Amino acid sequence: MGVFEEDDSVRVSTLVKLWVSEGFLRPMNGKSLETIAIEFLRDLVDRNLILVGKVGKTGNIKFVKIHDLLRDLCLNQSKKDGFYHVIGQSSPRGISSQRRVVVPRNAPKKKVLDDLQSMPRARSIISECGRVPRIKNSRLLRTLQAYPYFEDKRYVIKSLAQYVNLRHLAVEVGSISSIFTSFTRLWNLHILILCCWKVFTAPAEIWRMPQLRHIEMTGVRFYLPEPSSDDVVVMENLLVLKGIANFRCSEEVVKRIPNIKKLKIQYFGRGGIEQDDDYCVNNIRHLCKLESLYVRRHYGFIASLSVLTFPQSLKKLNLDMYGDFEWEKILEKIGALPLLEKFKLWEGCFGTGKWEMVEGQFPSLKHLQLFACPNLKQWTAESSSIFPRLEKLHLSDMRQLKEIPTQIGDIPTLQKISMKDCGESAVMCAKEIVEEQVELQGEDLPFHVQVWVQRKNEALVQNLAGPNFEVYALQY
């Protein structure tokens, strides 16, 4: 924790990946290293050694902080033990023997260059400023974390040939071809996070790297080639695959990633006429350990993806379907998922203008977000038992929506309804839900409603404001 800047909110996923790549964790009781890391983190939180910075919609810790006094203790102990060296600070043991190097955000460029050249035994470099010059004896390097960046935008790697022991690589690069030309040498790589603003395709050798646990690509487009049927490597350790363009979930791919938990994919038009079955998205249901799925359909992509199917293990689902994608074709399948806790639905359309819910759907859902579905006008429920575990409902840019199910107010777990830039009729419906519950339970309700409206409409709904109904003006 001491390697991060003072008062920083530290992303838990970044911390966990560093723990894994540094080799601090050991397998235990058949659990993944990531699961073990989260258990240790929660133990530190329970002991009040680590502070919770932000909790996700379903209760998972997303960011943590460390008290200034405890951070000082980390820094002092690291100096005493020679655990890591912060560039710009003194080191009682000298810097030549240091194995872990931290580059703070405001480190002078010349100081970074001079210090790193004096550290022939460096195993880990964690940079908060994005600047990491090439160092001597880089064959020893196991961790290179220079992303996300703050000042400089790119850590340009000319070749990875010398980084043969690298386990953790998280950088932004100018040219992706220079990364992949020597990719076959990185047999020890566990974490691969790359940001590149050019379209690129990974080499086929990526399917022969069984140590990989996390692949994440951001920037423009990252294409993943299909594995060859001649290869027999099963990537049992791979848990996260993010940023894949036009992902084809063939039977061969399903066999190669049996333990995948998080999958983030995007579909772009390629000038032809795509069909639903071109990408085998119905095979996603065979990823039986998948817990989190994000699918985005961009402008120009012709296929509707209406044949999407989902594994019963899914807990989080984020669907962003540009254009004329009809949600009626897929909502019944989504509502039947027994473990789904978080569901975000973006754009697309409702061909009938209605969403009619039936009893038994979404049994575990805690967080629901609807965003920019322009022709959804009526949202009704035929049963009083809907969303039995719902905690938060967020509606954004739903200007045509006239009503929301009044049964939502009866949900015992409900904590919050949030509405941004929605139609006046839907806002009035939310107000009626609050008034009805006030009559039944009194003003001390377990939930409240927050409404954001355009400034020109603020006066129309401001008189609705009350103890459980808050009205705000949008700033744009």
Side-chain angles (χ1 to χ4, degrees):
M1 289 294 297
V3 307
F4 299 97
E5 299 281 343
E6 187 174 359
D7 297 325
D8 265 3
S9 287
V10 180
R11 187 178 290 275
V12 168
S13 59
T14 298
L15 189 61
V16 166
K17 286 192 283 286
L18 287 172
W19 284 357
V20 170
S21 62
E22 289 286 339
F24 296 156
L25 308 170
R26 294 290 180 268
M28 186 167 48
N29 300 328
K31 300 176 183 177
S32 69
L33 296 180
E34 289 75 10
T35 299
I36 295 170
I38 294 298
E39 291 177 354
F40 280 133
L41 184 71
R42 289 190 178 276
D43 182 57
L44 292 172
V45 169
D46 292 342
R47 295 166 182 255
N48 292 322
L49 294 173
I50 301 299
L51 309 175
V52 176
K54 181 180 179 181
V55 177
K57 299 296 190 300
T58 57
N60 294 325
I61 302 174
K62 295 294 185 181
F63 290 87
V64 292
K65 293 184 176 182
I66 186 171
H67 195 281
D68 291 347
L69 292 176
L70 188 59
R71 181 175 181 273
D72 290 342
L73 178 63
C74 289
L75 293 173
N76 292 333
Q77 193 67 29
S78 71
K79 283 184 179 180
K80 180 180 177 181
D81 296 341
F83 186 72
Y84 60 82
H85 171 68
V86 180
I87 286 182
Q89 297 184 8
S90 62
S91 176
R93 299 189 175 196
I95 63 174
S96 61
S97 63
Q98 298 292 337
R99 298 199 175 196
R100 294 184 182 88
V101 187
V102 178
V103 184
R105 212 166 295 166
N106 58 355
K109 186 175 182 179
K110 186 177 186 306
K111 182 64 175 175
V112 174
L113 181 62
D114 291 344
D115 278 12
L116 285 180
Q117 298 308 327
S118 304
M119 297 182 183
R121 299 184 181 181
R123 302 290 197 277
S124 304
I125 299 177
I126 301 173
S127 174
E128 287 284 282
C129 72
R131 283 195 298 259
V132 183
R134 185 180 299 180
I135 64 172
K136 298 176 183 178
N137 299 322
S138 53
R139 287 178 176 272
L140 300 176
L141 200 64
R142 294 186 303 188
T143 297
L144 178 54
Q145 168 83 23
Y147 176 84
Y149 56 85
F150 290 89
E151 295 177 6
D152 289 5
K153 288 191 174 182
R154 291 175 181 170
Y155 171 55
V156 181
I157 302 177
K158 293 184 178 180
S159 174
L160 283 174
Q162 70 273 26
Y163 297 106
V164 292
N165 287 307
L166 205 62
R167 294 181 185 176
H168 178 115
L169 177 64
V171 294
E172 182 174 358
V173 294
S175 172
I176 208 69
S177 60
S178 62
I179 295 288
F180 288 146
T181 51
S182 52
F183 201 61
T184 54
R185 297 173 182 242
L186 304 180
W187 294 111
N188 295 305
L189 197 63
H190 290 185
I191 311 293
L192 176 64
I193 302 175
L194 296 179
C195 179
C196 182
W197 297 101
K198 297 180 181 179
V199 177
F200 59 96
T201 301
E205 289 80 5
I206 200 169
W207 291 109
R208 302 171 198 157
M209 301 179 67
Q211 299 296 331
L212 276 172
R213 311 179 67 86
H214 184 113
I215 301 174
E216 183 173 349
M217 304 292 175
T218 60
V220 184
R221 301 184 195 180
F222 169 70
Y223 294 99
L224 191 65
E226 281 201 68
S228 169
S229 57
D230 297 332
D231 298 330
V232 294
V233 176
V234 176
M235 301 178 72
E236 295 183 355
N237 293 315
L238 187 64
L239 303 178
V240 178
L241 185 57
K242 291 184 176 181
I244 310 303
N246 291 16
F247 178 68
R248 189 170 187 271
C249 192
S250 64
E251 292 183 7
E252 194 66 36
V253 168
V254 170
K255 293 177 184 177
R256 298 301 182 89
I257 53 174
N259 297 318
I260 198 79
K261 287 188 175 182
K262 294 182 180 180
L263 179 63
K264 184 175 181 179
I265 51 183
Q266 303 183 66
Y267 290 95
F268 299 86
R270 306 187 78 170
I273 301 178
E274 300 96 347
Q275 301 295 323
D276 288 344
D277 56 359
D278 286 350
Y279 299 98
C280 305
V281 291
N282 59 318
N283 283 335
I284 290 178
R285 72 183 188 276
H286 296 307
L287 301 174
C288 58
K289 294 188 179 180
L290 190 67
E291 296 180 0
S292 177
L293 174 64
Y294 173 96
V295 180
R296 185 177 184 186
R297 175 180 179 243
H298 285 267
Y299 172 78
F301 185 78
I302 306 300
S304 72
L305 299 179
S306 59
V307 296
L308 260 174
T309 51
F310 311 97
Q312 298 292 291
S313 57
L314 208 60
K315 294 181 179 180
K316 297 179 182 179
L317 179 60
N318 192 333
L319 298 178
D320 186 350
M321 299 295 184
Y322 180 89
D324 58 355
F325 183 89
E326 294 188 8
W327 290 112
E328 291 94 333
K329 296 180 179 180
I330 201 171
L331 278 175
E332 186 174 347
K333 290 185 285 188
I334 298 172
L337 295 172
L339 303 179
L340 188 66
E341 297 181 353
K342 184 178 179 180
F343 177 38
K344 291 186 178 182
L345 182 154
W346 299 68
E347 301 195 45
C349 70
F350 286 80
T352 62
K354 300 179 182 179
W355 182 10
E356 298 178 356
M357 298 192 63
V358 297
E359 188 172 1
Q361 291 184 323
F362 300 98
S364 301
L365 196 67
K366 295 180 180 180
H367 177 88
L368 174 63
Q369 179 171 330
L370 306 180
F371 178 84
C373 299
N375 64 337
L376 178 59
K377 298 179 180 179
Q378 293 181 308
W379 181 17
T380 60
E382 67 176 30
S383 168
S384 59
S385 177
I386 61 170
F387 300 129
R389 299 181 61 189
L390 189 68
E391 296 176 359
K392 296 178 182 179
L393 170 64
H394 181 77
L395 307 175
S396 183
D397 196 13
M398 303 288 290
R399 300 173 190 176
Q400 298 298 317
L401 185 63
K402 296 179 179 179
E403 60 179 318
I404 58 180
T406 58
Q407 295 92 329
I408 285 178
D410 298 323
I411 301 173
T413 55
L414 188 64
Q415 300 173 5
K416 181 179 178 181
I417 298 176
S418 175
M419 305 176 72
K420 291 186 179 181
D421 204 9
C422 295
E424 184 180 348
S425 179
V427 172
M428 291 299 298
C429 189
K431 178 63 176 179
E432 291 172 5
I433 289 175
V434 170
E435 290 177 343
E436 181 179 338
Q437 293 303 312
V438 167
E439 290 182 8
L440 295 172
Q441 305 182 50
E443 290 191 354
D444 190 20
L445 293 180
F447 75 93
H448 65 284
V449 177
Q450 291 182 328
V451 178
W452 283 263
V453 296
Q454 298 286 348
R455 286 193 175 277
K456 62 181 180 180
N457 299 325
E458 183 180 5
L460 296 176
V461 294
Q462 191 64 53
N463 62 333
L464 302 177
N468 300 293
F469 197 93
E470 305 165 16
V471 180
Y472 305 93
L474 291 168
Q475 298 303 312
Y476 52 87

